[in-house]
Amino acid sequence: MFDRGNWIDPRGASLPLEQFALRWLSERPDLRPRTLELYESLLRRHILPAFGGLPLRKIAPSLVRSWNAALACKHPITAAKAYRLLSGMLNTAVADELIGRNPCAVRGAAQERSPERPMVSIAEVDALVAAMPEPWRLAVELAARRLAVELAAWCHLRVGEVLGLERRDVDLLHRRIHIERTAYDIGGRLELGPPKTEAGRRTVSIPPHILPSIERHLRTFVGPDPSSPFLTGVKGGRLGRHPLNAAWQAARRDLGRPVIHFHDLRGAGLTWAATQGATTRELMARGGHASPAAALRYQHAVEDRDAAIAEALSGVAESARKLTDWDPSAGYLRDGGEDAATGPAATPAMGCDSEESGRPGSNWHHQLGRLRFYH
């Protein structure tokens, strides 16, 4: 059977998408647990209800376009993820000669356009640390929850990286944290695995101001075994996502910022690093980014401060003028400055009428040479 000049298997083209999708997943045993859980959720909630019973050859571009548009209106980020998954599966169907072409042809549908996240200030981070509620007056979990906020903000760790830390990952001597694993929430339980990308496996220097908290926590609450969880829950095991999330929601509510996410702490910290002059490569290294695109977001946030920077420059200029007795309205130093000229010929501003061009001190080249520039 031919379709637009390409041979396709008529039996395969009649295969319902649901059967093909299950086979597609079974052929990818290397998928990370969190990724597999995401794919299964996208299939169950969004893809199979729309296309599951259709034969592969019946999935038309117009159907894909309508489905994507409807989903994007309500959940734009989820729509992009679901579209990428469907397109990837159907690319495999094309490679297997089950269909002649991929019907996923919606331009830009695979791109996630995340809304701008709110910025968190340093004062708010301190307030969030203090606001983390104490469960049953149990000091160990209170300390873990508070330290989780500091690690996310100042060491730029993702929540899974925070929960995956162990004693051996904290190097107090060299003031560094090694990120070697992440904790995935699979069906309500934590499972440890490698970072999502190789760039996520990294070493981050600890800012000195949070080092005492880390040292005190390591000495007081962390077991002696190198693999002991760094952040411990109520029952002595690894701190879970749900207890941390419950405490986080209470803390942000007390702060009056219910819209901020735990992940916003990491973004704020990387933005602070950018304001201190960190390059894109340095932001990638601290944040564990595999490509410059994500790290550039934090430098763009710094560029948004251009108006504030301009105001600060004016303040610098005014301070310099006061120190040097500079007269901005006249364009030269007032009397008393080190190079101030004397006599009436020195008073005109830079530039002159043609009839004055021959007088000493009135030529604009001469005036320009007398101008002084200040730091």
Side-chain angles (χ1 to χ4, degrees):
M1 176 178 171
F2 288 89
D3 180 18
R4 296 177 179 268
N6 299 317
W7 165 257
I8 61 173
D9 185 343
R11 293 170 299 177
S14 301
L15 185 69
L17 177 69
E18 182 172 9
Q19 293 183 28
F20 179 78
L22 294 176
R23 189 178 77 187
W24 187 88
L25 284 177
S26 68
E27 293 173 349
R28 283 156 178 78
D30 57 337
L31 288 176
R32 300 181 186 277
R34 184 69 174 171
T35 304
L36 179 60
E37 184 182 43
L38 172 64
Y39 285 178
E40 290 175 342
S41 174
L42 291 172
L43 282 169
R44 183 177 66 255
R45 299 178 60 187
H46 303 292
I47 297 176
L48 296 184
F51 306 108
L54 288 178
L56 294 177
R57 59 184 174 83
K58 293 289 187 180
I59 302 176
S62 59
L63 293 177
V64 174
R65 189 181 307 110
S66 299
W67 163 77
N68 176 256
L71 183 57
C73 286
K74 297 179 180 179
H75 310 288
I77 296 178
T78 301
K81 295 180 186 295
Y83 181 89
R84 286 201 303 270
L85 177 57
L86 178 62
S87 181
M89 291 190 299
L90 294 179
N91 275 335
T92 302
V94 173
D96 291 347
E97 298 181 345
L98 302 180
I99 54 176
R101 62 192 179 106
N102 192 334
C104 293
V106 183
R107 182 173 297 180
Q111 299 175 1
E112 293 184 30
R113 296 175 178 84
S114 301
E116 191 73 22
R117 296 298 308 153
M119 185 61 184
V120 184
S121 69
I122 294 175
E124 286 176 323
V125 169
D126 291 341
L128 285 164
V129 171
M132 293 297 272
E134 186 170 352
W136 303 293
R137 310 299 299 173
L138 190 61
V140 59
E141 185 161 324
L142 172 63
R145 291 174 175 183
R146 289 180 170 175
L147 197 54
V149 173
E150 292 187 296
L151 289 171
W154 294 107
C155 295
H156 326 309
L157 272 59
R158 302 172 176 91
V159 63
E161 295 169 347
V162 170
L163 299 177
L165 287 176
E166 298 176 350
R167 170 178 277 277
R168 57 187 166 185
D169 301 323
V170 182
D171 182 356
L172 291 178
L173 178 63
H174 300 98
R175 300 192 310 190
R176 296 183 298 197
I177 289 179
H178 305 286
I179 294 91
E180 298 289 342
R181 71 197 65 78
T182 189
Y184 298 98
D185 191 309
I186 307 297
R189 71 180 189 280
L190 286 183
E191 291 189 10
L192 298 180
K196 187 173 182 179
T197 65
E198 190 58 35
R201 195 187 304 271
R202 64 199 187 279
T203 297
V204 177
S205 295
I206 303 170
H209 75 281
I210 67 168
L211 199 62
S213 298
I214 293 176
E215 185 176 10
R216 184 169 55 252
H217 182 87
L218 197 66
R219 183 177 61 251
T220 308
F221 298 118
V222 183
D225 193 272
S227 60
S228 297
F230 184 63
L231 300 182
T232 309
V234 175
K235 297 181 180 179
R238 191 178 302 273
L239 179 65
R241 278 180 178 252
H242 293 299
L244 177 60
N245 186 52
W248 168 254
Q249 291 187 27
R252 67 181 186 176
R253 189 169 53 248
D254 290 346
L255 185 65
R257 295 290 304 276
V259 297
I260 60 175
H261 299 164
F262 190 87
H263 196 76
D264 293 333
L265 297 171
R266 165 180 157 86
L270 287 168
T271 301
W272 302 334
T275 63
Q276 300 308 306
T279 65
T280 302
R281 177 59 65 181
E282 289 165 340
L283 292 173
M284 290 173 63
R286 283 191 71 82
H289 296 126
S291 70
L296 281 171
R297 286 202 302 266
Y298 307 108
Q299 289 192 332
H300 291 164
V302 176
E303 291 169 8
D304 291 341
R305 298 178 58 249
D306 191 53
I309 292 171
E311 283 195 30
L313 289 174
S314 289
V316 172
E318 290 300 324
S319 299
R321 287 167 178 171
K322 290 177 182 177
L323 290 173
T324 57
D325 205 24
W326 173 259
D327 187 347
S329 63
Y332 58 86
L333 287 172
R334 293 193 293 268
D335 289 346
E338 181 183 340
D339 293 333
T342 59
T347 56
M350 187 174 65
C352 60
D353 295 331
S354 59
E355 62 183 12
E356 298 177 328
S357 59
R359 285 166 39 194
S362 62
N363 185 276
W364 74 271
H365 288 288
H366 181 68
Q367 288 275 28
L368 183 62
R370 293 172 52 220
L371 289 176
R372 297 175 58 194
F373 295 88
Y374 300 92
H375 297 292

